[in-house]
Amino acid sequence: MAKATANTLRGRIFKSTGSWYEVVGEDGVAYQARIRGKFRLDGRKVTNPVAVGDWVTLELLENEDSQAVITAIEDRTNYIIRQSPKKTAHAHILATNLDQALLIATLTFPRTSLGFIDRFLVTAEAFGVPAAIVFNKTDLYEEEQLEDIQIYRWMYEELGYPVLFTSALAEEGIGALRLQIEGKTTLVTGHSGVGKSTLLNLLSPEISQKTGEVSTFANKGTHTTTFAEMFAISDTTNIIDTPGIKELGLVDFEKAEIGRYFPEFKSRLDDCKFYNCTHIHEPGCAVLEALEANEISVTRYHSYLSMVQGEESHR
Ligand SMILES: Nc1nc2c(ncn2[C@@H]2O[C@H](COP(=O)(O)OP(=O)(O)OP(=O)(O)O)[C@@H](O)[C@H]2O)c(=O)[nH]1
Ligand SMILES: [Mg+2]
Ligand SMILES: [Zn+2]
């Protein structure tokens, strides 16, 4: 066994495959690392103590090429967790230290619903991660769908969420996408088959992520990417590709909190007559008044209702 030396280095987790982590040190070298010691997340049980995006301290192993031990994790600016698919009592840290979360959406092949988009936005708000939306596959859209995405852009940008249009196939909108991710660590998410990996490959041909054919079954696509993995587009620009996930999903979702994650509600909450207003039926509700005055969009309000009432997301 190689003995650890006092030779330490700062690094960032790019990939995790079970008990091994791929860590890129500040020296630019990719290390294979294991964890020493116990790490917890605010006392919560997690399946993975260290996640993609984490800044860590590495202790380099003598006599071992590019092997190291993770001895400390730096405080995270934020993180996104999911319910563990295997252990239900555990949470799974998807990624940490994010500057942005980007939802890749498509109106067709497969269809991303507004309800799904709103759940993504609420999740990003809850974790304190700025969010943006990219409508991809515009080459496939009918005239009416092209009009729809203009309306969505207007609606979401008014709320503070940037909206981009891309066609990975026609290589359109890629320059704007490049600007949107420049200098940031961005988590990319969206249904399987929307073109996440294809867009990534365009942004950095070296990434060469596997892409898949969208399965015709229900137009939902097949899962091609299975692990969250970070890719360096440049020294300061990183992209985290995630498996085509059904839903980002909140752990320990507090229904009473949901209104606070809708920016257009948040600014009005103080004006509701009751401090514990659910914005569903109460008299003197500022949210309902704004809805009636067409200051809040009906689709956003419906998304709110379906989240509060715990319905399955409409896809
Ligand atoms: N027409 C069209 N097809 C596209 C576009 N972008 C991607 N595709 C195709 O859509 C399919 C799925 O793309 P992927 O990049 O594998 O999708 P993904 O989001 O990474 O999927 P998962 O890894 O399963 O989550 C592939 O056949 C791509 O060639 C686009 O802008 N237009
Ligand atoms: Mg993929
Ligand atoms: Zn209210």
Side-chain angles (χ1 to χ4, degrees):
M1 274 293 287
K3 255 180 110 185
T5 67
N7 196 2
T8 63
L9 181 75
R10 191 172 182 247
R12 198 167 188 199
I13 309 282
F14 270 62
K15 192 177 180 176
S16 116
T17 52
S19 51
W20 283 94
Y21 295 89
E22 192 178 300
V23 191
V24 176
E26 284 193 324
D27 57 0
V29 175
Y31 293 92
Q32 295 297 313
R34 285 179 172 279
I35 307 175
R36 185 192 296 152
K38 282 202 193 316
F39 303 101
R40 310 205 73 175
L41 179 73
D42 304 334
R44 191 197 296 271
K45 287 179 188 166
V46 288
T47 48
N48 56 334
V50 187
V52 168
D54 270 330
W55 287 99
V56 298
T57 305
L58 290 178
E59 218 169 82
L60 306 188
L61 294 178
E62 217 180 316
N63 307 327
E64 298 280 351
D65 248 6
S66 306
Q67 289 202 8
V69 175
I70 296 165
T71 55
I73 308 171
E74 295 181 17
D75 287 344
R76 297 163 173 143
T77 57
N78 56 34
Y79 57 79
I80 287 184
I81 53 176
R82 288 205 280 160
Q83 202 79 44
S84 166
K86 291 186 199 119
K87 297 180 177 173
T88 46
H90 288 61
H92 177 83
I93 311 172
L94 190 62
T96 71
N97 299 319
L98 301 167
D99 296 311
Q100 173 173 253
L102 207 63
L103 179 73
I104 312 295
T106 46
L107 294 196
T108 185
F109 293 104
R111 174 166 176 82
T112 307
S113 71
L114 291 184
F116 186 85
I117 292 174
D118 290 334
R119 274 173 186 268
F120 160 80
L121 295 173
V122 163
T123 305
E125 291 283 346
F127 288 120
V129 182
I133 306 160
V134 175
F135 287 97
N136 187 37
K137 305 201 183 185
T138 53
D139 57 283
L140 296 178
Y141 297 176
E142 315 256 340
E143 200 60 44
E144 204 183 319
Q145 292 171 314
L146 291 171
E147 282 166 21
D148 284 346
I149 56 173
Q150 291 291 350
I151 294 168
Y152 301 157
R153 171 183 267 173
W154 180 79
M155 176 169 88
Y156 287 117
E157 291 203 328
E158 177 148 290
L159 300 174
Y161 304 114
V163 174
L164 285 76
F165 303 150
T166 58
S167 165
L169 188 82
E171 300 199 15
E172 277 169 19
I174 308 303
L177 179 57
R178 232 177 250 288
L179 280 179
Q180 184 65 35
I181 62 165
E182 179 67 35
K184 296 175 183 147
T185 294
T186 300
L187 176 92
V188 176
T189 185
H191 286 313
S192 183
V194 294
K196 297 179 294 294
S197 299
T198 310
L199 284 169
L200 250 94
N201 289 342
L202 276 178
L203 292 168
S204 176
E206 289 147 52
I207 292 174
S208 176
Q209 272 288 80
K210 257 199 192 151
T211 58
E213 292 304 313
V214 176
S215 74
T216 47
F217 179 71
N219 279 346
K220 289 289 192 281
T222 50
H223 291 265
T224 310
T225 308
T226 44
F227 290 102
E229 183 172 2
M230 189 157 76
F231 300 93
I233 305 277
S234 74
D235 282 354
T236 54
T237 304
N238 294 300
I239 288 276
I240 300 172
D241 188 16
T242 58
I245 52 176
K246 210 165 154 239
E247 198 160 315
L248 213 46
L250 285 171
V251 180
D252 301 339
F253 204 100
E254 283 287 340
K255 283 185 180 172
E257 285 177 29
I258 297 174
R260 280 193 262 138
Y261 304 135
F262 281 75
E264 68 273 54
F265 289 24
K266 197 178 171 189
S267 57
R268 294 176 163 97
L269 298 183
D270 287 345
D271 298 329
C272 290
K273 189 174 169 192
F274 302 105
Y275 78 95
N276 58 350
C277 186
T278 62
H279 326 299
I280 297 174
H281 48 70
E282 291 86 346
C285 170
V287 170
L288 288 173
E289 280 165 15
L291 181 70
E292 258 171 42
N294 286 321
E295 290 164 13
I296 285 178
S297 105
V298 175
T299 73
R300 290 277 294 168
Y301 185 73
H302 278 159
S303 293
Y304 169 75
L305 278 187
S306 86
M307 276 178 244
V308 172
Q309 292 166 350
E311 289 172 23
E312 281 296 292
S313 68
H314 306 286
R315 295 225 266 152

